[in-house]
């Protein structure tokens, strides 16, 4: 079986595993919260547990995939040890976060978004945790494993395009909140089916897909240029942190479609901001390369 076919089987196994695992995680969390253990878990709906179940499933099926591919080291995935890992993570956070942060200030000053009167501190801690954990998992999976596997049999441009498209598509596996008011064993299947409801708004889907495709491409480009995941992890974390904090601390006042969608990561403005981050990244890499030469 070729590498691409193995990746398809892996993806299907991850979705099926997530569908089966999600109700179990949900019920365990509810029991724990009802007995005073981790009571904050009671605030999360089934969809939050479904997303976590997909990540856990991806980790569970990772070893069989690696074994079937006969990978011996990171060099088989065209990755090298990065002596400047911490620096690259911090720089990535800044390169992704600064353009979004500047845009956030302008949007609030222009009354397009209004600051909430009460700061949701608990939610902000959750966003910070997600910005630290999610990039580690997703970059290891998409830019580390999937892109590395495709590079073994494809040219870089084709491998980057497929990985970025897959990255964008996976982010649409998100059903509307409260899809499963009553959780059963088949609630995960219902979430997968309901995730396609969002395609009823093709303009918004196209705007979101193009932005996510570009973000995936930038992350893949950072990975190939540095032969490391440190810079992509930093960039990814910066986008999650700034966009997430902005979303929790503000509320929408004015619609300016197609310039800006429901979040700072959807629309033409976020697309331009992503290009800005890409340009800054290329300038910094040229400077860093000259310094290290």
């Amino acid at each position: 079986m070729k590498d691409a076919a193995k990746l398809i089987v892996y993806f299907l196994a991850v979705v099926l595993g997530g569908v089966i695992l999600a109700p179990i995680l949900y019920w365990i969390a509810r029991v724990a919260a009802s007995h005073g253990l981790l009571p904050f878990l009671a605030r999360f709906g089934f969809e939050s547990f479904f997303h976590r179940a997909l990540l856990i499933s991806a980790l569970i099926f990772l070893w069989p995939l690696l074994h079937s591919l006969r990978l011996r080291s990171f060099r088989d995935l065209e990755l090298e040890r990065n002596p400047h890992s911490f620096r690259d993570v911090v720089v990535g956070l800044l390169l992704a976060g600064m353009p979004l942060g500047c845009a956030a200030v302008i949007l609030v000053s222009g009354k397009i978004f209004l600051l909430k009167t009460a700061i949701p501190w608990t939610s902000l801690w959750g966003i910070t945790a997600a910005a630290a954990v999610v990039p580690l998992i997703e970059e290891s999976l998409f830019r580390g494993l999937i892109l590395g596997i495709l590079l073994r049999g494809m040219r870089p441009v084709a491998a980057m395009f497929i990985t970025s498209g897959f990255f964008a598509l996976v982010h649409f596996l998100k059903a509307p909140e409260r899809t499963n008011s009553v959780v059963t064993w088949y609630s995960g299947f219902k979430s997968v089916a309901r995730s396609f409801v969002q395609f009823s708004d093709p303009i918004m889907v196209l705007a979101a897909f193009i932005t996510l495709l570009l973000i995936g491409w930038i992350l893949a480009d950072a990975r190939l240029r540095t032969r490391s995941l440190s810079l992509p992890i930093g960039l990814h974390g910066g986008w999650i942190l700034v966009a997430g904090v902005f979303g929790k601390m503000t509320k929408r006042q004015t619609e300016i479609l197609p310039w800006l969608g429901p979040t700072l990561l959807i629309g033409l403005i976020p697309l331009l901001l992503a290009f800005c981050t890409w340009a800054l990244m290329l300038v910094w890499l040229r400077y860093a390369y000259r310094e290290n030469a």
Side-chain angles (χ1 to χ4, degrees):
M1 187 183 295
K2 293 184 178 181
D3 291 348
K6 292 177 180 178
L7 285 175
I8 294 174
V9 172
Y10 171 73
F11 172 70
L12 295 176
V14 167
V15 174
L16 181 60
V19 163
I20 295 172
L21 183 60
I24 298 174
L25 292 180
Y26 177 86
W27 290 326
I28 291 175
R30 282 295 185 271
V31 171
S34 66
H35 287 81
L37 300 174
L38 304 176
F40 68 91
L41 291 176
R43 296 196 302 268
F44 295 97
F46 176 79
E47 299 311 317
S48 296
F49 291 96
F50 178 58
H51 302 152
R52 302 305 179 269
L54 287 174
L55 291 177
I56 294 173
S57 179
L59 293 175
I60 291 174
F61 289 106
L62 184 58
W63 171 247
L65 176 64
L66 295 177
H67 181 71
S68 69
L69 293 170
R70 303 181 185 276
L71 296 176
R72 295 167 294 178
S73 68
F74 287 112
R75 291 191 174 184
D76 292 337
L77 298 173
E78 296 194 16
L79 289 170
E80 301 286 348
R81 181 181 175 277
N82 184 357
H84 306 289
S85 294
F86 180 77
R87 180 201 67 181
D88 286 357
V89 170
V90 173
V91 169
L93 284 167
L94 294 174
L95 293 178
M98 286 191 300
L100 278 182
C102 292
V105 172
I106 294 173
L107 291 171
V108 171
S109 301
K111 306 297 182 182
I112 297 172
F113 284 82
L114 297 180
L115 289 174
K116 294 179 180 178
T117 54
I119 299 177
W121 292 110
T122 304
S123 298
L124 293 184
W125 282 114
I127 292 295
T128 303
V133 176
V134 172
L136 286 172
I137 297 175
E138 292 194 356
E139 292 312 304
S140 297
L141 177 62
F142 288 101
R143 259 62 61 177
L145 182 64
I146 295 177
L147 180 56
I149 292 172
L150 293 178
L151 286 171
R152 301 202 307 178
M154 295 183 180
R155 293 186 176 182
V157 172
M160 290 170 66
F161 183 78
I162 293 174
T163 304
S164 302
F166 184 54
F167 172 76
L169 183 62
V170 165
H171 282 75
F172 283 93
L173 284 178
K174 183 177 181 181
E177 293 295 332
R178 299 180 182 177
T179 294
N180 292 280
S181 55
V182 178
V183 176
T184 64
W185 282 106
Y186 57 83
S187 291
F189 292 99
K190 188 176 179 181
S191 292
V192 173
R194 289 284 291 172
S195 66
F196 292 96
V197 171
Q198 58 194 320
F199 288 92
S200 60
D201 187 352
I203 300 299
M204 187 60 66
V205 169
L206 183 61
F209 185 84
I210 291 175
T211 304
L212 286 169
L213 182 68
L214 177 60
I215 287 174
W217 185 275
I218 294 170
L219 293 170
D221 188 41
R223 186 264 210 218
L224 289 181
R225 290 177 184 273
T226 62
R227 299 181 68 86
S228 165
L229 297 179
S230 299
L231 185 57
I233 287 172
L235 290 167
H236 199 155
W239 278 316
I240 291 177
L241 182 62
V242 176
V245 169
F246 180 78
K248 294 296 183 182
M249 294 188 65
T250 62
K251 56 183 177 181
R252 187 65 171 270
Q253 182 70 7
T254 306
E255 294 286 341
I256 55 171
L257 294 174
W259 295 101
L260 187 65
T263 73
L264 276 182
L265 296 178
I266 298 177
L268 294 178
I269 291 177
L271 198 66
L272 294 174
L273 293 174
F275 274 114
C276 179
T277 291
W278 195 7
L280 291 173
M281 183 193 81
L282 295 177
V283 171
W284 180 80
L285 285 175
R286 180 175 297 179
Y287 167 81
Y289 178 81
R290 185 172 65 246
E291 287 293 305
N292 294 329

